Amino acid sequence: MSQFSSSFFITVTNKMAMEIESFYTFGPHKISSKDVFYTTHLSFAFVNLRPVLPGHVLVCPLREVKRFADLTTDETNDLWTAAHKISGPLQSYHKAPSLTFTIQIDDSDKKLKQKVDSDIEWKDRSPEDRAQEAEEYRKFFL
């Protein structure tokens, strides 16, 4: 599992007005709050930059951890509870016949993922497309 945490950044515009933009982190990646569609006090779920299939989302702990085993029992329960809660609406929305849950654990998984990614030509989705998908998913959890 990669390291995860949430963070906030302040952006100063050309008019010198301050605008607060929030980000979550997924390993070395900044995840815009616009891509996040579900949060709890310990977890967050966001749309994927390169989904394998429609509805391919990620659920992560808010606290930065290196490995799954580093999660507390409360964090582990919260992750699985979040995955359970979001899976039903997304499965119905996409009319998916089944679900697959995967845990990304460590660097060996990253190397395998990089190999798979190099064999398949992935195209990153635009920030607008991801934000629109996240907005659609948020409606299930209001």
Side-chain angles (χ1 to χ4, degrees):
M1 184 176 276
S2 297
Q3 295 181 344
F4 311 102
S5 68
S6 61
S7 55
F8 296 90
F9 298 90
I10 297 177
T11 304
V12 179
T13 65
N14 59 358
K15 294 181 181 179
M16 298 302 290
M18 292 183 63
E19 174 185 310
I20 296 177
E21 184 175 356
S22 65
F23 289 88
Y24 296 79
T25 57
F26 176 67
H29 308 285
K30 291 180 187 173
I31 307 300
S32 169
S33 59
K34 294 176 184 175
D35 294 349
V36 175
F37 64 90
Y38 182 81
T39 59
T40 71
H41 68 290
L42 296 173
S43 305
F44 68 102
F46 63 101
V47 298
N48 202 318
L49 177 64
R50 297 180 196 123
V52 176
L53 294 168
H56 178 188
V57 299
L58 293 96
V59 183
C60 301
L62 286 171
R63 184 173 68 92
E64 185 174 323
V65 296
K66 187 168 183 167
R67 292 188 166 76
F68 184 76
D70 296 336
L71 293 169
T72 66
T73 300
D74 286 343
E75 289 169 325
T76 304
N77 289 337
D78 192 74
L79 278 173
W80 285 108
T81 299
H84 178 263
K85 184 170 184 171
I86 68 175
S87 65
L90 294 186
Q91 186 175 10
S92 294
Y93 179 78
H94 290 288
K95 297 175 178 53
S98 64
L99 297 169
T100 301
F101 294 93
T102 304
I103 299 174
Q104 182 177 326
I105 298 190
D106 60 23
D107 290 334
S108 62
D109 284 346
K110 286 182 193 174
K111 290 175 186 164
L112 176 61
K113 184 178 181 317
Q114 288 170 350
K115 165 105 176 74
V116 171
D117 284 350
S118 68
D119 292 342
I120 301 171
E121 191 173 321
W122 296 102
K123 185 175 181 180
D124 290 357
R125 296 187 309 152
S126 72
E128 295 80 17
D129 287 345
R130 294 190 318 270
Q132 182 179 2
E133 181 179 6
E135 183 61 33
E136 196 64 32
Y137 294 167
R138 270 187 221 104
K139 294 174 187 175
F140 300 127
F141 309 106
L142 296 177

mmCIF file of all heavy atoms in Angstrom, residues 67-99:
data_model
loop_
_atom_site.group_PDB
_atom_site.id
_atom_site.type_symbol
_atom_site.label_atom_id
_atom_site.label_comp_id
_atom_site.label_asym_id
_atom_site.label_seq_id
_atom_site.Cartn_x
_atom_site.Cartn_y
_atom_site.Cartn_z
ATOM 1 N N ARG A 67 2.291 0.553 4.943
ATOM 2 C CA ARG A 67 1.767 -0.773 4.637
ATOM 3 C C ARG A 67 0.383 -0.957 5.261
ATOM 4 O O ARG A 67 0.043 -0.318 6.248
ATOM 5 C CB ARG A 67 2.708 -1.840 5.179
ATOM 6 C CG ARG A 67 4.028 -1.871 4.469
ATOM 7 C CD ARG A 67 4.845 -3.071 4.903
ATOM 8 N NE ARG A 67 5.947 -3.299 4.009
ATOM 9 C CZ ARG A 67 7.061 -2.565 3.987
ATOM 10 N NH1 ARG A 67 7.184 -1.546 4.796
ATOM 11 N NH2 ARG A 67 8.029 -2.835 3.139
ATOM 12 N N PHE A 68 -0.362 -1.875 4.696
ATOM 13 C CA PHE A 68 -1.693 -2.203 5.208
ATOM 14 C C PHE A 68 -1.619 -2.586 6.682
ATOM 15 O O PHE A 68 -2.464 -2.186 7.482
ATOM 16 C CB PHE A 68 -2.293 -3.344 4.373
ATOM 17 C CG PHE A 68 -3.692 -3.715 4.750
ATOM 18 C CD1 PHE A 68 -4.764 -2.914 4.368
ATOM 19 C CD2 PHE A 68 -3.950 -4.856 5.479
ATOM 20 C CE1 PHE A 68 -6.063 -3.244 4.704
ATOM 21 C CE2 PHE A 68 -5.241 -5.201 5.819
ATOM 22 C CZ PHE A 68 -6.304 -4.394 5.435
ATOM 23 N N ALA A 69 -0.603 -3.327 7.057
ATOM 24 C CA ALA A 69 -0.445 -3.767 8.442
ATOM 25 C C ALA A 69 -0.217 -2.608 9.404
ATOM 26 O O ALA A 69 -0.390 -2.760 10.617
ATOM 27 C CB ALA A 69 0.704 -4.767 8.555
ATOM 28 N N ASP A 70 0.167 -1.444 8.884
ATOM 29 C CA ASP A 70 0.395 -0.271 9.726
ATOM 30 C C ASP A 70 -0.902 0.439 10.107
ATOM 31 O O ASP A 70 -0.892 1.331 10.960
ATOM 32 C CB ASP A 70 1.313 0.733 9.019
ATOM 33 C CG ASP A 70 2.707 0.175 8.771
ATOM 34 O OD1 ASP A 70 3.118 -0.752 9.505
ATOM 35 O OD2 ASP A 70 3.379 0.665 7.839
ATOM 36 N N LEU A 71 -2.002 0.069 9.479
ATOM 37 C CA LEU A 71 -3.292 0.680 9.812
ATOM 38 C C LEU A 71 -3.750 0.204 11.181
ATOM 39 O O LEU A 71 -3.505 -0.940 11.570
ATOM 40 C CB LEU A 71 -4.352 0.296 8.777
ATOM 41 C CG LEU A 71 -4.169 0.840 7.374
ATOM 42 C CD1 LEU A 71 -5.148 0.156 6.431
ATOM 43 C CD2 LEU A 71 -4.362 2.337 7.355
ATOM 44 N N THR A 72 -4.449 1.067 11.882
ATOM 45 C CA THR A 72 -5.075 0.645 13.137
ATOM 46 C C THR A 72 -6.296 -0.202 12.802
ATOM 47 O O THR A 72 -6.778 -0.211 11.656
ATOM 48 C CB THR A 72 -5.530 1.868 13.965
ATOM 49 O OG1 THR A 72 -6.587 2.536 13.247
ATOM 50 C CG2 THR A 72 -4.383 2.823 14.256
ATOM 51 N N THR A 73 -6.811 -0.881 13.791
ATOM 52 C CA THR A 73 -8.032 -1.669 13.594
ATOM 53 C C THR A 73 -9.184 -0.759 13.174
ATOM 54 O O THR A 73 -9.958 -1.103 12.272
ATOM 55 C CB THR A 73 -8.392 -2.442 14.881
ATOM 56 O OG1 THR A 73 -7.301 -3.307 15.204
ATOM 57 C CG2 THR A 73 -9.660 -3.257 14.710
ATOM 58 N N ASP A 74 -9.287 0.423 13.789
ATOM 59 C CA ASP A 74 -10.348 1.369 13.421
ATOM 60 C C ASP A 74 -10.206 1.810 11.966
ATOM 61 O O ASP A 74 -11.205 1.917 11.241
ATOM 62 C CB ASP A 74 -10.337 2.591 14.336
ATOM 63 C CG ASP A 74 -10.869 2.294 15.733
ATOM 64 O OD1 ASP A 74 -11.545 1.256 15.913
ATOM 65 O OD2 ASP A 74 -10.608 3.102 16.639
ATOM 66 N N GLU A 75 -8.975 2.090 11.530
ATOM 67 C CA GLU A 75 -8.754 2.505 10.135
ATOM 68 C C GLU A 75 -9.091 1.377 9.167
ATOM 69 O O GLU A 75 -9.719 1.612 8.123
ATOM 70 C CB GLU A 75 -7.301 2.947 9.936
ATOM 71 C CG GLU A 75 -6.989 4.266 10.605
ATOM 72 C CD GLU A 75 -5.505 4.565 10.648
ATOM 73 O OE1 GLU A 75 -4.689 3.625 10.795
ATOM 74 O OE2 GLU A 75 -5.165 5.757 10.542
ATOM 75 N N THR A 76 -8.702 0.156 9.508
ATOM 76 C CA THR A 76 -9.008 -1.000 8.657
ATOM 77 C C THR A 76 -10.512 -1.198 8.548
ATOM 78 O O THR A 76 -11.054 -1.365 7.441
ATOM 79 C CB THR A 76 -8.351 -2.275 9.221
ATOM 80 O OG1 THR A 76 -6.947 -2.053 9.345
ATOM 81 C CG2 THR A 76 -8.599 -3.468 8.326
ATOM 82 N N ASN A 77 -11.196 -1.152 9.677
ATOM 83 C CA ASN A 77 -12.656 -1.291 9.665
ATOM 84 C C ASN A 77 -13.306 -0.186 8.853
ATOM 85 O O ASN A 77 -14.245 -0.425 8.089
ATOM 86 C CB ASN A 77 -13.209 -1.290 11.092
ATOM 87 C CG ASN A 77 -12.870 -2.547 11.854
ATOM 88 O OD1 ASN A 77 -12.598 -3.587 11.269
ATOM 89 N ND2 ASN A 77 -12.880 -2.456 13.170
ATOM 90 N N ASP A 78 -12.809 1.041 9.004
ATOM 91 C CA ASP A 78 -13.385 2.175 8.289
ATOM 92 C C ASP A 78 -13.178 2.035 6.776
ATOM 93 O O ASP A 78 -14.090 2.318 5.993
ATOM 94 C CB ASP A 78 -12.778 3.487 8.789
ATOM 95 C CG ASP A 78 -13.541 4.680 8.282
ATOM 96 O OD1 ASP A 78 -14.655 4.934 8.777
ATOM 97 O OD2 ASP A 78 -13.027 5.356 7.358
ATOM 98 N N LEU A 79 -11.997 1.595 6.355
ATOM 99 C CA LEU A 79 -11.740 1.395 4.918
ATOM 100 C C LEU A 79 -12.709 0.389 4.320
ATOM 101 O O LEU A 79 -13.303 0.632 3.266
ATOM 102 C CB LEU A 79 -10.312 0.897 4.694
ATOM 103 C CG LEU A 79 -9.208 1.921 4.669
ATOM 104 C CD1 LEU A 79 -7.855 1.223 4.599
ATOM 105 C CD2 LEU A 79 -9.366 2.859 3.485
ATOM 106 N N TRP A 80 -12.855 -0.753 4.987
ATOM 107 C CA TRP A 80 -13.740 -1.785 4.456
ATOM 108 C C TRP A 80 -15.209 -1.382 4.547
ATOM 109 O O TRP A 80 -16.002 -1.714 3.656
ATOM 110 C CB TRP A 80 -13.481 -3.131 5.136
ATOM 111 C CG TRP A 80 -12.208 -3.738 4.627
ATOM 112 C CD1 TRP A 80 -11.032 -3.847 5.293
ATOM 113 C CD2 TRP A 80 -11.978 -4.257 3.313
ATOM 114 N NE1 TRP A 80 -10.089 -4.427 4.473
ATOM 115 C CE2 TRP A 80 -10.644 -4.691 3.253
ATOM 116 C CE3 TRP A 80 -12.772 -4.411 2.183
ATOM 117 C CZ2 TRP A 80 -10.087 -5.262 2.117
ATOM 118 C CZ3 TRP A 80 -12.211 -4.983 1.043
ATOM 119 C CH2 TRP A 80 -10.884 -5.394 1.015
ATOM 120 N N THR A 81 -15.563 -0.653 5.579
ATOM 121 C CA THR A 81 -16.934 -0.160 5.683
ATOM 122 C C THR A 81 -17.218 0.846 4.567
ATOM 123 O O THR A 81 -18.283 0.809 3.932
ATOM 124 C CB THR A 81 -17.180 0.477 7.065
ATOM 125 O OG1 THR A 81 -16.969 -0.533 8.071
ATOM 126 C CG2 THR A 81 -18.587 1.030 7.189
ATOM 127 N N ALA A 82 -16.254 1.724 4.290
ATOM 128 C CA ALA A 82 -16.409 2.689 3.193
ATOM 129 C C ALA A 82 -16.524 1.956 1.855
ATOM 130 O O ALA A 82 -17.393 2.277 1.031
ATOM 131 C CB ALA A 82 -15.240 3.669 3.172
ATOM 132 N N ALA A 83 -15.647 0.985 1.629
ATOM 133 C CA ALA A 83 -15.702 0.213 0.375
ATOM 134 C C ALA A 83 -17.051 -0.486 0.233
ATOM 135 O O ALA A 83 -17.646 -0.504 -0.850
ATOM 136 C CB ALA A 83 -14.563 -0.800 0.340
ATOM 137 N N HIS A 84 -17.553 -1.032 1.327
ATOM 138 C CA HIS A 84 -18.859 -1.696 1.315
ATOM 139 C C HIS A 84 -19.969 -0.702 0.986
ATOM 140 O O HIS A 84 -20.853 -0.972 0.163
ATOM 141 C CB HIS A 84 -19.099 -2.353 2.684
ATOM 142 C CG HIS A 84 -20.425 -3.013 2.799
ATOM 143 N ND1 HIS A 84 -21.511 -2.400 3.384
ATOM 144 C CD2 HIS A 84 -20.840 -4.232 2.392
ATOM 145 C CE1 HIS A 84 -22.535 -3.219 3.331
ATOM 146 N NE2 HIS A 84 -22.161 -4.340 2.736
ATOM 147 N N LYS A 85 -19.927 0.456 1.625
ATOM 148 C CA LYS A 85 -20.984 1.456 1.436
ATOM 149 C C LYS A 85 -21.015 1.998 0.009
ATOM 150 O O LYS A 85 -22.091 2.195 -0.557
ATOM 151 C CB LYS A 85 -20.801 2.613 2.425
ATOM 152 C CG LYS A 85 -21.909 3.630 2.335
ATOM 153 C CD LYS A 85 -21.873 4.625 3.448
ATOM 154 C CE LYS A 85 -23.071 5.552 3.337
ATOM 155 N NZ LYS A 85 -23.213 6.411 4.483
ATOM 156 N N ILE A 86 -19.862 2.249 -0.585
ATOM 157 C CA ILE A 86 -19.856 2.838 -1.929
ATOM 158 C C ILE A 86 -20.033 1.795 -3.025
ATOM 159 O O ILE A 86 -20.462 2.130 -4.126
ATOM 160 C CB ILE A 86 -18.590 3.684 -2.195
ATOM 161 C CG1 ILE A 86 -17.345 2.825 -2.259
ATOM 162 C CG2 ILE A 86 -18.453 4.793 -1.183
ATOM 163 C CD1 ILE A 86 -16.097 3.582 -2.635
ATOM 164 N N SER A 87 -19.741 0.530 -2.726
ATOM 165 C CA SER A 87 -19.795 -0.488 -3.778
ATOM 166 C C SER A 87 -21.211 -0.712 -4.322
ATOM 167 O O SER A 87 -21.385 -0.853 -5.535
ATOM 168 C CB SER A 87 -19.207 -1.810 -3.284
ATOM 169 O OG SER A 87 -19.995 -2.354 -2.247
ATOM 170 N N GLY A 88 -22.199 -0.733 -3.456
ATOM 171 C CA GLY A 88 -23.568 -0.980 -3.916
ATOM 172 C C GLY A 88 -24.076 0.068 -4.892
ATOM 173 O O GLY A 88 -24.500 -0.278 -6.005
ATOM 174 N N PRO A 89 -24.041 1.346 -4.506
ATOM 175 C CA PRO A 89 -24.508 2.369 -5.444
ATOM 176 C C PRO A 89 -23.716 2.410 -6.756
ATOM 177 O O PRO A 89 -24.300 2.576 -7.827
ATOM 178 C CB PRO A 89 -24.329 3.672 -4.662
ATOM 179 C CG PRO A 89 -24.405 3.265 -3.232
ATOM 180 C CD PRO A 89 -23.775 1.908 -3.178
ATOM 181 N N LEU A 90 -22.398 2.222 -6.682
ATOM 182 C CA LEU A 90 -21.606 2.270 -7.916
ATOM 183 C C LEU A 90 -21.867 1.051 -8.793
ATOM 184 O O LEU A 90 -21.925 1.166 -10.018
ATOM 185 C CB LEU A 90 -20.112 2.397 -7.611
ATOM 186 C CG LEU A 90 -19.670 3.693 -6.945
ATOM 187 C CD1 LEU A 90 -18.155 3.750 -6.825
ATOM 188 C CD2 LEU A 90 -20.181 4.908 -7.696
ATOM 189 N N GLN A 91 -22.046 -0.105 -8.168
ATOM 190 C CA GLN A 91 -22.352 -1.298 -8.945
ATOM 191 C C GLN A 91 -23.702 -1.138 -9.651
ATOM 192 O O GLN A 91 -23.835 -1.468 -10.830
ATOM 193 C CB GLN A 91 -22.362 -2.537 -8.053
ATOM 194 C CG GLN A 91 -22.539 -3.815 -8.840
ATOM 195 C CD GLN A 91 -22.438 -5.064 -7.987
ATOM 196 O OE1 GLN A 91 -22.420 -5.002 -6.766
ATOM 197 N NE2 GLN A 91 -22.373 -6.201 -8.633
ATOM 198 N N SER A 92 -24.687 -0.599 -8.946
ATOM 199 C CA SER A 92 -25.994 -0.357 -9.567
ATOM 200 C C SER A 92 -25.902 0.687 -10.667
ATOM 201 O O SER A 92 -26.453 0.496 -11.758
ATOM 202 C CB SER A 92 -26.997 0.113 -8.511
ATOM 203 O OG SER A 92 -27.249 -0.903 -7.590
ATOM 204 N N TYR A 93 -25.202 1.780 -10.393
ATOM 205 C CA TYR A 93 -25.080 2.881 -11.359
ATOM 206 C C TYR A 93 -24.463 2.395 -12.674
ATOM 207 O O TYR A 93 -24.910 2.776 -13.752
ATOM 208 C CB TYR A 93 -24.241 3.991 -10.743
ATOM 209 C CG TYR A 93 -24.016 5.182 -11.642
ATOM 210 C CD1 TYR A 93 -25.011 6.135 -11.828
ATOM 211 C CD2 TYR A 93 -22.804 5.365 -12.284
ATOM 212 C CE1 TYR A 93 -24.809 7.240 -12.646
ATOM 213 C CE2 TYR A 93 -22.587 6.472 -13.102
ATOM 214 C CZ TYR A 93 -23.586 7.405 -13.280
ATOM 215 O OH TYR A 93 -23.382 8.490 -14.087
ATOM 216 N N HIS A 94 -23.445 1.558 -12.577
ATOM 217 C CA HIS A 94 -22.750 1.074 -13.777
ATOM 218 C C HIS A 94 -23.295 -0.254 -14.284
ATOM 219 O O HIS A 94 -22.779 -0.806 -15.254
ATOM 220 C CB HIS A 94 -21.245 0.951 -13.496
ATOM 221 C CG HIS A 94 -20.590 2.283 -13.343
ATOM 222 N ND1 HIS A 94 -20.369 3.130 -14.405
ATOM 223 C CD2 HIS A 94 -20.122 2.928 -12.249
ATOM 224 C CE1 HIS A 94 -19.789 4.233 -13.978
ATOM 225 N NE2 HIS A 94 -19.632 4.137 -12.674
ATOM 226 N N LYS A 95 -24.357 -0.765 -13.610
ATOM 227 C CA LYS A 95 -24.968 -2.044 -13.996
ATOM 228 C C LYS A 95 -23.898 -3.135 -14.117
ATOM 229 O O LYS A 95 -23.901 -3.942 -15.053
ATOM 230 C CB LYS A 95 -25.762 -1.889 -15.296
ATOM 231 C CG LYS A 95 -26.926 -0.917 -15.166
ATOM 232 C CD LYS A 95 -27.613 -0.709 -16.495
ATOM 233 C CE LYS A 95 -28.795 0.218 -16.408
ATOM 234 N NZ LYS A 95 -28.629 1.499 -15.814
ATOM 235 N N ALA A 96 -22.985 -3.140 -13.152
ATOM 236 C CA ALA A 96 -21.882 -4.108 -13.150
ATOM 237 C C ALA A 96 -22.346 -5.446 -12.584
ATOM 238 O O ALA A 96 -23.026 -5.476 -11.560
ATOM 239 C CB ALA A 96 -20.724 -3.564 -12.322
ATOM 240 N N PRO A 97 -21.990 -6.555 -13.214
ATOM 241 C CA PRO A 97 -22.421 -7.866 -12.716
ATOM 242 C C PRO A 97 -21.635 -8.337 -11.497
ATOM 243 O O PRO A 97 -22.082 -9.233 -10.787
ATOM 244 C CB PRO A 97 -22.166 -8.797 -13.910
ATOM 245 C CG PRO A 97 -21.067 -8.126 -14.666
ATOM 246 C CD PRO A 97 -21.271 -6.645 -14.479
ATOM 247 N N SER A 98 -20.456 -7.744 -11.248
ATOM 248 C CA SER A 98 -19.649 -8.186 -10.108
ATOM 249 C C SER A 98 -18.729 -7.059 -9.648
ATOM 250 O O SER A 98 -18.635 -6.009 -10.277
ATOM 251 C CB SER A 98 -18.811 -9.407 -10.490
ATOM 252 O OG SER A 98 -17.884 -9.061 -11.506
ATOM 253 N N LEU A 99 -18.046 -7.308 -8.522
ATOM 254 C CA LEU A 99 -17.100 -6.351 -7.945
ATOM 255 C C LEU A 99 -15.764 -7.040 -7.719
ATOM 256 O O LEU A 99 -15.714 -8.238 -7.465
ATOM 257 C CB LEU A 99 -17.590 -5.860 -6.581
ATOM 258 C CG LEU A 99 -18.887 -5.090 -6.539
ATOM 259 C CD1 LEU A 99 -19.341 -4.940 -5.086
ATOM 260 C CD2 LEU A 99 -18.697 -3.730 -7.167
#
